[in-house]
Amino acid sequence: MSPVLRSCLLLGGLVLAYVVYLLLGALVFSAIERPVEEDLHSELSALKAEILQLSCINASTLEDFLEKVLRANRYGVSALRNASVSSNWDLASSLFFANTLVTTVGYGHTTPLSDAGKAFSIAYALFGVPFTMLVLTACVQRLMRPLTYRPIALWQQWSGWQPQTVAAGHFVVLLTVVVAAFFVLPAVIFSSIEDSWSFLEAFYFCFISLCTIGLGDFVPGEQPNQRLRPLYKLSVMVYLFVGLMVMYLVLRTFHKLADVQGWTAFFHLPNCDDEGEEDKEPIVEAVNETVQAEEAAASKPLDPGSHVSYNSFSK
């Protein structure tokens, strides 16, 4: 098997394992949180019906109802929705929540209701966040050659310009394509799907999401009677993952530009491709070589000249 094919298979297996990890997390979140959400819906509906039957509402009953409504709204459960609207913890919504959790976007519009859900979120993110960083890093390393190194080399060979000029021009072109493909175009799509979003608000959502700020003031797929809501949620989830990968690619390309321009050397920063000598050598082999060297030194006969003479001690 060729090294390129083996590398592609390993990357595909890593991405597949990541998708399975998201699916398992979504199933667990849905199994834990959906019954709690349904109980909260039932409690709000019963309290709302009780208030509507009263001819005169006293202050304590109204305050109790408002307190429960505000508490439910904090967890993403609205008293205005009827039973036909999709749950916040169906499979698609749970998968969307798991994706925002491990990518550290975290909109906060939907949060675990139960203590078991909160505890599982901690354990799931503890392994999911490093796993996400590993997948993103592996994908970006594969993309650097066809999207950064090779275009710069071909451009320099074709134009004969200096490496600094070619690297700067390539970064400007890459940044323009990324802004158009992952900010402007998605903003147009989101503003056409979301009735209450303007183009500026949609562009603001794209920027906040791909920078992993995730304020949560704009969340797609949350308006009532959303058409194809599960498919819409899954599409946004794919957009977020690919967008984060492209943003990481832009950062790596800028780091490479800083190397070519000499900025990293000026500020005494590590180069983009500088892994350090200690990272290139496997830890296990380094430890074995150290142990072998110590054993060889211990088994080596002592030099007669190195023995201490008793005559050297003062009497």
Side-chain angles (χ1 to χ4, degrees):
M1 182 183 297
S2 63
V4 177
L5 180 60
R6 182 173 178 270
S7 177
C8 293
L9 290 177
L10 289 175
L11 180 61
L14 185 64
V15 174
L16 180 62
Y18 182 72
V19 173
V20 172
Y21 185 79
L22 290 178
L23 286 173
L24 291 178
L27 291 174
V28 174
F29 278 121
S30 181
I32 294 176
E33 297 298 327
R34 192 163 188 175
V36 181
E37 183 192 38
E38 293 175 353
D39 293 340
L40 187 56
H41 265 300
S42 301
E43 183 181 355
L44 287 177
S45 300
L47 187 57
K48 182 178 180 180
E50 180 182 352
I51 289 179
L52 292 176
Q53 292 176 359
L54 296 177
S55 58
C56 181
I57 302 177
N58 54 39
S60 61
T61 304
L62 181 60
E63 289 179 0
D64 185 37
F65 176 70
L66 293 177
E67 181 182 356
K68 291 183 180 297
V69 169
L70 292 175
R71 176 176 172 270
N73 186 70
R74 190 170 70 250
Y75 289 107
V77 179
S78 176
L80 301 177
R81 296 180 178 178
N82 51 42
S84 62
V85 179
S86 300
S87 168
N88 285 327
W89 294 104
D90 56 4
L91 182 59
S93 300
S94 300
L95 191 60
F96 182 78
F97 172 78
N99 182 59
T100 58
L101 182 65
V102 297
T103 55
T104 69
V105 176
Y107 293 118
H109 67 293
T110 301
T111 55
L113 300 169
S114 62
D115 292 338
K118 294 180 176 66
F120 180 72
S121 298
I122 296 174
Y124 188 74
L126 185 64
F127 295 97
V129 172
F131 193 13
T132 303
M133 296 300 104
L134 175 63
V135 175
L136 289 176
T137 303
C139 293
V140 169
Q141 285 180 347
R142 301 307 189 281
L143 293 175
M144 283 291 290
R145 182 172 297 277
L147 296 181
T148 299
Y149 298 134
R150 189 171 299 170
I152 290 177
L154 293 176
W155 192 350
Q156 184 179 3
Q157 182 180 3
W158 173 75
S159 63
W161 294 351
Q162 294 295 325
Q164 294 84 353
T165 305
V166 175
H170 169 266
F171 180 76
V172 171
V173 172
L174 178 64
L175 187 61
T176 304
V177 173
V178 169
V179 170
F182 288 90
F183 290 93
V184 177
L185 181 60
V188 173
I189 297 175
F190 282 126
S191 61
S192 62
I193 296 177
E194 301 287 340
D195 297 333
S196 59
W197 290 16
S198 64
F199 174 79
L200 177 60
E201 291 171 339
F203 191 91
Y204 164 82
F205 162 77
C206 296
F207 179 81
I208 293 297
S209 299
L210 297 187
C211 292
T212 67
I213 299 173
L215 296 178
D217 47 353
F218 291 94
V219 181
E222 295 301 315
Q223 61 182 353
N225 302 322
Q226 178 73 56
R227 296 181 56 187
L228 302 176
R229 186 169 183 261
L231 180 60
Y232 184 36
K233 287 281 189 179
L234 293 177
S235 301
V236 175
M237 185 188 71
V238 174
Y239 161 73
L240 290 178
F241 181 79
V242 177
L244 290 176
M245 183 172 60
V246 172
M247 291 294 288
Y248 186 33
L249 175 66
V250 172
L251 293 177
R252 291 275 297 175
T253 304
F254 179 77
H255 195 175
K256 188 64 179 178
L257 171 64
D259 293 343
V260 176
Q261 299 291 344
W263 301 336
T264 53
F266 178 78
F267 290 103
H268 302 284
L269 298 175
N271 293 331
C272 181
D273 299 326
D274 188 10
E275 298 176 351
E277 295 298 330
E278 66 276 6
D279 295 333
K280 296 179 181 179
E281 185 177 7
I283 298 177
V284 177
E285 293 182 4
V287 172
N288 290 337
E289 291 178 359
T290 304
V291 173
Q292 293 176 0
E294 292 178 352
E295 291 178 352
S299 60
K300 183 180 179 180
L302 292 176
D303 187 4
S306 64
H307 290 283
V308 179
S309 175
Y310 290 102
N311 297 326
S312 63
F313 290 101
S314 60
K315 298 181 181 180

